[in-house]
Amino acid sequence: MKDTYRHKGLRKKLIQEIRKKGITNERILEAMEALPRHFFLEKAFEEWAYVDKAFPIGNEQTISQPYTVAFQTQLLDPQKREKILEIGTGSGYQAAILALLGARVYTIERQELLFHRAQQLLDKLKVGNIRCFFKDGFKGMPEFAPFDKIIVTAGAKEIPEKLVKQLKIGGIMVIPVGEEAQIMLKITKVAEDKIEIEERGHFRFVPFLKGTKKEKK
Ligand code: SAH
């Protein structure tokens, strides 16, 4: 895996584009400029890594559009040492960005094949501070709860109660909710039984599905 001057140049341009679209958090832009996104796509599709679009990563799933990653991360506003749960590991790119920002990341994927690939890649890149799990994200990870923050990167039909339970008081969850298209919600847990919801624009994600899917052998 090589990160050439050409890749770095393309990445710089992509970051400028994302900045123009309204992302202002410099720490996030820096992390995205530092992380070679082309490592998260198959070699044949490398060219697409620095276009601001979602892209297929196999098994009918996608790596989120760079702007969407930046937008969700900005809403989540990760701080150093925070314990963050991600639902939908996919390629592992979003998890790596959170880790580069200093968070302690727990990430769950329901497809075994994607889980394996992401785990191997993140190990190889030595990002550190990321733990990958092959599980159904609907259940979250009660054994590691409570989390400072939770980010969901698949479109949910409704706000999953079990995940809200696993948030600290004062914690934040960023989740796209809706059937065909989704509204990005920033949820703040203000008390044990009370949440506040802010709506932050329209997006389109692959669906948040129940259960796990094993690799075919
Ligand atoms: N964050 C990813 C984008 C992933 S796309 C990235 O940076 O590349 C959404 C992912 O959510 C898909 O891989 C899909 O398989 C996964 N997913 C959907 N429902 C899930 C569930 N219940 N638990 C865990 N992962 C789920």
Side-chain angles (χ1 to χ4, degrees):
M1 286 194 294
K2 274 199 190 129
D3 189 30
T4 64
Y5 279 110
R6 201 177 73 83
H7 291 125
K8 290 190 174 95
L10 290 172
R11 208 145 67 232
K12 216 180 190 84
K13 273 178 72 180
L14 174 67
I15 300 312
Q16 279 164 5
E17 226 178 280
I18 291 173
R19 185 184 272 116
K20 271 198 206 129
K21 290 181 183 169
I23 303 299
T24 52
N25 185 317
E26 288 300 325
R27 284 177 60 232
I28 295 171
L29 293 168
E30 264 169 38
M32 290 182 70
E33 190 163 333
L35 184 66
R37 188 169 184 268
H38 63 280
F39 290 174
F40 295 80
L41 300 181
E42 279 170 50
K43 187 117 186 58
F45 304 123
E46 246 188 58
E47 288 303 314
W48 293 91
Y50 299 108
V51 180
D52 193 18
K53 287 209 171 106
F55 200 80
I57 53 170
N59 285 28
E60 292 163 15
Q61 303 307 318
T62 58
I63 178 170
S64 300
Q65 181 181 346
Y67 171 75
T68 306
V69 172
F71 188 86
Q72 281 198 284
T73 310
Q74 184 161 282
L75 282 182
L76 201 68
D77 193 23
Q79 302 298 319
K80 293 213 166 74
R81 306 289 304 149
E82 273 180 346
K83 205 160 117 187
I84 300 186
L85 175 65
E86 179 195 28
I87 311 293
T89 313
S91 69
Y93 180 78
Q94 171 75 72
I97 291 293
L98 296 173
L100 285 180
L101 291 166
R104 291 176 290 151
V105 184
Y106 296 75
T107 182
I108 308 181
E109 173 55 55
R110 69 177 286 277
Q111 293 206 31
E112 196 177 17
L113 181 76
L114 298 177
F115 153 75
H116 277 307
R117 274 197 210 150
Q119 191 177 44
Q120 275 171 13
L121 178 63
L122 293 168
D123 276 354
K124 200 153 124 192
L125 297 179
K126 298 197 168 59
V127 188
N129 265 330
I130 303 178
R131 294 208 232 171
C132 298
F133 300 89
F134 168 52
K135 272 175 178 284
D136 177 2
F138 267 101
K139 302 192 176 97
M141 300 217 76
E143 59 273 51
F144 294 110
F147 295 94
D148 295 291
K149 291 172 182 171
I150 299 178
I151 176 171
V152 179
T153 65
K157 287 190 179 152
E158 58 208 356
I159 300 170
E161 280 308 316
K162 282 191 181 152
L163 296 185
V164 175
K165 275 216 176 71
Q166 293 175 28
L167 261 187
K168 279 188 188 162
I169 307 286
I172 289 171
M173 171 152 74
V174 174
I175 177 170
V177 176
E179 305 241 346
E180 286 281 294
Q182 294 83 32
I183 296 180
M184 191 67 75
L185 303 183
K186 178 182 173 184
I187 297 170
T188 308
K189 183 164 171 178
V190 290
E192 198 44 61
D193 53 0
K194 190 163 179 249
I195 57 173
E196 279 172 11
I197 303 175
E198 295 168 50
E199 296 189 357
R200 296 299 185 89
H202 297 264
F203 291 83
R204 205 173 273 271
F205 283 79
V206 296
F208 191 169
L209 298 171
K210 288 213 165 114
T212 54
K213 187 174 158 196
K214 289 243 176 216
E215 218 165 310
K216 286 197 197 89
K217 290 268 155 63

